[in-house]
Amino acid sequence: MEELTNRWRSLSLTKEEEVKMDLTKEKKATGAVLAAKFFTRRNVNVEAVAKTFRPLWRTRGKFEVCEGIDNVLLFDFEVEVDAEKVVQGKPWVFDRHLVAVQRYDRSILVQDIVFKTTTFWIQIHNLPFQLLMEKAAVSIGETIGKVSWPKDLGEMKGGNFMRVRVEVDITKLLCKGRKISWDQSGEGWAAFMYEQLPNICYW
């Protein structure tokens, strides 16, 4: 498919072929559309994907799965709230591999979509008792990426560790932890554990 795309870009058109067509009235009516990149070397089966995610997402309305290119699929939702539910539920996994999901700008080609980030819940371990609080977890999480505060702050507490929801750059190696200090004599190493971490390909 990549070879075919390159051949299209190198084509030279005749004067007749260069006459521009106006298709502004022909655009497909869609609901909320998400693009999903499946990080696996296997070709993804559209029917298998739909069969897997329908019971997981429990959408109010229907959604259609459209095949794209290079294991990128488009999900067209009838109801906006269903699309937002999927976005908020990241990260998603299919066949033990990461699925990066994001809003799709329908004005660009599928092959031009860039998947750079996804969101993980990260457990922060090895913190002293005095740092087992939301503000400290957010400060540490912000060294990785953009932090999302949950509606229920209780979700951030894991007993002897803290949890934080962070938008992670998936083009880089995952961060294993951070060296921290909490007073003049106290310092240590905060270890990270990524929840629902699937197999990672192409990294």
Side-chain angles (χ1 to χ4, degrees):
M1 182 62 75
E2 183 179 352
E3 180 182 352
L4 183 58
T5 302
N6 291 333
R7 289 176 61 187
W8 287 339
R9 290 172 178 169
S10 63
L11 285 177
S12 59
L13 302 178
T14 65
K15 288 185 178 181
E16 182 179 355
E17 291 169 334
E18 285 183 343
V19 176
K20 187 180 295 184
M21 295 180 60
D22 184 0
L23 297 177
T24 55
K25 296 181 180 180
E26 308 297 331
K27 289 186 290 188
K28 179 180 179 182
T30 59
V33 181
L34 301 180
K37 171 70 174 179
F38 290 71
F39 285 88
T40 174
R41 294 184 175 88
R42 298 180 181 178
N43 291 328
V44 176
N45 181 282
V46 174
E47 293 182 5
V49 168
K51 187 176 180 180
T52 298
F53 286 119
R54 280 199 173 96
L56 286 176
W57 291 344
R58 298 179 183 179
T59 55
R60 297 182 184 179
K62 296 179 180 179
F63 67 85
E64 178 183 353
V65 186
C66 306
E67 191 165 2
I69 185 174
D70 294 334
N71 280 345
V72 175
L73 302 183
L74 300 180
F75 293 83
D76 186 1
F77 294 86
E78 284 185 335
V79 183
E80 161 63 29
V81 69
D82 289 336
E84 182 60 22
K85 179 181 177 182
V86 172
V87 170
Q88 292 301 320
K90 296 185 294 184
W92 296 102
V93 177
F94 177 77
D95 193 24
R96 296 183 297 174
H97 290 90
L98 176 67
V99 181
V101 177
Q102 64 188 41
R103 295 280 181 172
Y104 174 49
D105 180 354
R106 286 162 279 185
S107 65
I108 66 173
L109 299 175
V110 174
Q111 58 264 33
D112 292 334
I113 303 174
V114 177
F115 293 86
K116 188 176 180 181
T117 64
T118 195
T119 304
F120 285 102
W121 273 102
I122 300 176
Q123 296 180 10
I124 307 174
H125 291 263
N126 203 34
L127 293 176
F129 179 78
Q130 59 188 324
L131 291 182
L132 291 174
M133 57 183 184
E134 294 86 355
K135 187 175 181 181
V138 169
S139 295
I140 295 172
E142 286 176 341
T143 67
I144 307 171
K146 182 180 178 181
V147 172
S148 300
W149 284 86
K151 293 180 180 179
D152 180 6
L153 295 182
E155 292 186 75
M156 298 182 68
K157 297 179 180 179
N160 62 346
F161 63 88
M162 296 299 297
R163 300 170 73 241
V164 64
R165 186 171 167 82
V166 183
E167 188 174 341
V168 178
D169 186 341
I170 57 176
T171 66
K172 301 177 181 179
L173 293 175
L174 297 181
C175 181
K176 300 184 292 294
R178 282 285 186 272
K179 190 172 182 179
I180 59 172
S181 62
W182 51 90
D183 55 37
Q184 291 183 347
S185 58
E187 63 177 35
W189 175 264
F192 299 158
M193 181 179 294
Y194 294 75
E195 296 182 5
Q196 295 179 298
L197 182 63
N199 295 330
I200 301 175
C201 293
Y202 306 143
W203 295 16

